[in-house]
Amino acid sequence: MKWVIPLAIAAVAAMFYLNINNRAIEKQEEAQTRWSDVESAYQRRSDLIPNLVNTVKGAADFERSTLTEVIEARSRATAVNVNAQDLNEESIQAFQQAQEGLSSALSRLMVTVERYPELKATENFQAFQSQLEGTENRINVSRNRYNEAVRQYNVYIRQIPQNLVARIAGFQKMARFEAEQGAERAPEVNFDS
């Protein structure tokens, strides 16, 4: 009889621990799934690029250096892999930098295309440009959903009493996807060059 109360307290404590641990796992998995959605959206963009480049190559006098930049940036971007189990600031930043390089190269390509009205008028180019714009929107939505899932997870593991269980179970704060330095300033576009 004297063991009933300590056993009951131990059982309640174990259930409490397991409940918090399982909830943290659910939130962590949700954030990792959202990260996979981010990668999937970037992969879609990467998959569109060869077709876009081939369409642009059709313009005989198109600047080859611009196309080479896009191809090389795509290669660098697809070479950076992030383990969803280890979403830390450094890995996300490396991924983001590679993707920003590709975004920059694509922006230069689109500005250069402005000088080729016959290319802009082709159905293939318009279709790829539309798909690329849609993909950029998907990327933005995926990043926002990932950040929200990370926010929920981080808040959960930092609140009392969850923080005690999180510390014991080894749950770590996850990194958010952040805007690049200077993104708050509008880019300067010059069509005269």
Side-chain angles (χ1 to χ4, degrees):
M1 193 69 151
K2 65 181 178 176
W3 296 102
V4 173
I5 292 176
L7 283 176
I9 291 172
V12 169
M15 289 174 51
F16 177 76
Y17 176 89
L18 291 174
N19 183 43
I20 289 175
N21 186 68
N22 291 343
R23 189 87 168 108
I25 289 171
E26 286 175 22
K27 290 183 176 296
Q28 185 180 52
E29 286 295 321
E30 177 66 19
Q32 290 171 348
T33 298
R34 294 299 179 187
W35 176 254
S36 295
D37 294 344
V38 169
E39 289 181 316
S40 177
Y42 277 113
Q43 183 64 50
R44 177 172 163 51
R45 178 176 72 174
S46 184
D47 292 345
L48 287 173
I49 290 172
N51 294 324
L52 179 64
V53 167
N54 287 334
T55 300
V56 172
K57 274 183 185 175
D61 59 342
F62 194 83
E63 290 92 348
R64 299 289 179 217
S65 63
T66 304
L67 292 176
T68 302
E69 271 184 53
V70 171
I71 293 166
E72 289 172 355
R74 177 186 181 265
S75 178
R76 285 189 300 274
T78 57
V80 176
N81 295 312
V82 176
N83 179 355
Q85 307 301 317
D86 186 27
L87 293 170
N88 59 48
E89 301 234 1
E90 294 81 30
S91 60
I92 289 180
Q93 190 173 32
F95 180 85
Q96 188 172 356
Q97 285 175 341
Q99 294 301 330
E100 287 167 4
L102 180 53
S103 294
S104 179
L106 281 172
S107 293
R108 285 190 297 279
L109 174 68
M110 292 304 171
V111 168
T112 304
V113 164
E114 291 294 321
R115 293 184 232 151
Y116 295 84
E118 70 283 354
L119 176 60
K120 283 178 28 180
T122 67
E123 248 181 72
N124 279 348
F125 181 78
Q126 288 177 353
F128 286 123
Q129 187 175 20
S130 176
Q131 287 183 37
L132 201 54
E133 288 169 1
T135 299
E136 292 298 327
N137 287 334
R138 286 184 181 136
I139 289 169
N140 187 48
V141 167
S142 294
R143 287 188 308 214
N144 289 341
R145 288 179 179 163
Y146 165 74
N147 281 346
E148 178 57 23
V150 167
R151 185 196 67 75
Q152 289 179 16
Y153 166 77
N154 286 345
V155 166
Y156 185 79
I157 66 166
R158 291 175 60 211
Q159 290 177 329
I160 297 173
Q162 293 93 296
N163 64 342
L164 301 171
V165 172
R167 197 172 300 131
I168 293 168
F171 287 99
Q172 299 291 320
K173 189 175 174 188
M174 294 175 76
R176 287 189 179 97
F177 206 105
E178 296 180 7
E180 66 179 288
Q181 288 275 1
E184 69 279 359
R185 293 184 303 273
E188 190 174 308
V189 178
N190 183 358
F191 291 107
D192 295 332
S193 52

